[in-house]
Amino acid sequence: MATKFASLTFSIKVFDKLHLTAWISSLSCANIIPVSPETDKNTTNTADFDAKIQSLRNSLYPDNLIRVLDDTSDLSSAVKIFKWVSLQKRFQHTADTYHKMILKVGLAGNVEEMERFCQNMVKNRCPDAKEALVSLVHCFVEQSRVNESVRVLVNMNLGGFRPSVDLFNVVLGALVKEKRGFQDVLFVYKEMVKSAVVPNVDTLNYLLEVLFETDRIESALDQFRRMKMKDCSPNSRTFELVIRGLIANSRVDDSVMVLGEMFNLGFQPELSFYTSAIPLFCRENKLEEAIRLFRMMRDSNYVPDESTYEELIRCLCENFRLDETYNILEEMIETGLTPADDVFADIVIGFCEVGNFEKSLNLLEDKCGYLTFPHNAMLESCCSAGKFSLAKRILEKMANRNITDCNSWNIPFRWLCENMEFRKANELLGRMIVSSVVPDCATHSALVLGNCKFSRYEDALKVFRQVCAKFWVLDSISYSELVEGLCRVENVTEAAEVFHYMSENGFSLCSSSFNMLINGMCGMGKVDKAIRLRSLAHNSGTSYTNLTYSTIMLGLSKLNKVKDLFVVLSQMLVDGCTLDVEAYCILIRSTSSQNQTRDCALFFNLMVNEGLVPDSETMFSLLTCLANHSQLHIISTGIVKLVSNSEILNSAMYNILINGFWKEGFKSEASQLLDLMLEKGWVPDATTHRLLVGSSAAEETDNGRFSDEISSMQDSVSNILAEGLGNT
């Protein structure tokens, strides 16, 4: 006969056994209280244990054993009782008794003991063992003991009791629900393959879900495409999983293609598909797909839920399909759903953005008479469009209806401050206070901004200190305006005070304002303070740029703190910033001034290799330093690149290079530079001329001849000098 386990929601076919029926009727997984593993450590109550053993001696039957086990809260005692009974020759365990014991130790987390009892039950081939194991799987799943359910399933397989596909799906579903990961799901799926159980669409859906959740997108799509090969047709849940998985992994276009396949198949999805897919496509601004699904949903006589309506209305507003939006709003209300305040606000804003303020006003009157949030959205839209007079009328009406909040006053007050209507702003602030509305953080931020607009930075600073006293913070615009304004009037210390407070509260400053602060601090010679501010910026999320580092490096350079400059350089590179022209020039000038020839040459060569060109001041400083130490040759490659790609070198620099290369024995390079110099029409200075002439004469004395190259060079130099002298 077919008997239902009380703990399950489905029927299991069992044999017609009287004792099994009694067990089934008394079993209730929901009433089982899991025993803590720590109970195993407790000392067994000897008297209670002996009494229960004596009770069993007098009546050693399965039902009596089950009753005794139910009455034994101590797990260790229960296991001892069960094992004692197992040793009694006149007793044979049943599926009932094994089920009770396996469930008890499993819920207590004693997996090893549980598995031993499972193996014994399978080994003893107890009647109805399969049904008991099936029940155990369901009980463990219901009690969120998925590991235990998996072990029971494995023991079923090992014992030759082939689980059904539905039982495998129960375990797979539990694993997916608990997000146990791909490997756990794969393990159960392999058990399914071992037992030659053919998967159904639910099995493959669980597999698809875990593949998408673990970013195995291509594998998931491959499984989806191969479903027909496994004699499984995708169902509504399949398409829901695939579309949701693709969108979650930024494969929106692929999700649209899958939706198109569903349309081509003439597939009719279930309600859950619509309530999942429509909001997803709306959030991705795939409006046409969302509208088509919405129409199909209505044609199927499904009633959209609140989320579906709201997401569709929002998407329609973003695309300015406002007439359709209004119709869907009416439909939503007719179904008995009450739109959220922000839904009304979206429509109000949408009509205002297309300039239809009258329609927005009508909506407020018809649908939102006493709702504050949509009215505030209307105020914001009016102010943004410069329609302050309309905003003022709306605020008056709101005040008469007693539906204003602090934000209702802050919106027009902020607009007046931003537009330097300070007299009107003060009047409005007075009315706000008279109306018993206490100015909040946003009010003070607007005051700071208004004072900054009028360059009243001392007043703005006073308001800011009131903000600090109340442990509030400024909004980002007021924050930036105050810092920049204080820096402009050289109140850099006060600007740093503002930055420190806001940073300590986790608010970032825009990079341009922060750079002004760093520049002001370095300009005061407080470079160490600027460095500390950069560290504070890092902790608050304030972004800093190459300019930030260049400013600090320049400050250190002016103070001749080259070692500290290198520390800042290291931090700059660690933060992923790249050296720009200014940074390279600062480094080259600083190292040149300290006669660190190898360092300045290194920075120059790196700079030129990156296609950057130093300024004239930097170049002259570099050449002078290297020439004084007879080290010009270490930048010869860089000089060749620089000469080929820029016109930065002047005649004085050419003279330094020619003199230096010649003295250092690099006469070929000197000759090439001289040729270039002469081509530009520049005359070598007297020092260069004497060097070249003297060197040529010395070579003639030593070797008895001139090289053709040097003779030609000398003639050219002499001719140009003669022409120059003749003109004077």
Side-chain angles (χ1 to χ4, degrees), residues 267-291:
F267 192 82
Q268 293 298 320
E270 296 174 0
L271 176 61
S272 63
F273 173 85
Y274 289 116
T275 56
S276 172
I278 293 173
L280 286 173
F281 282 117
C282 287
R283 291 176 199 131
E284 298 298 329
N285 200 29
K286 293 294 182 180
L287 181 58
E288 295 307 320
E289 288 76 11
I291 288 177

Side-chain angles (χ1 to χ4, degrees), residues 596-606 622 626 634-635:
Q596 297 176 354
T597 56
R598 295 208 171 272
D599 289 334
C600 64
L602 171 65
F603 290 125
F604 171 76
N605 288 327
L606 288 171
L622 170 71
L626 295 179
I634 63 178
I635 61 167

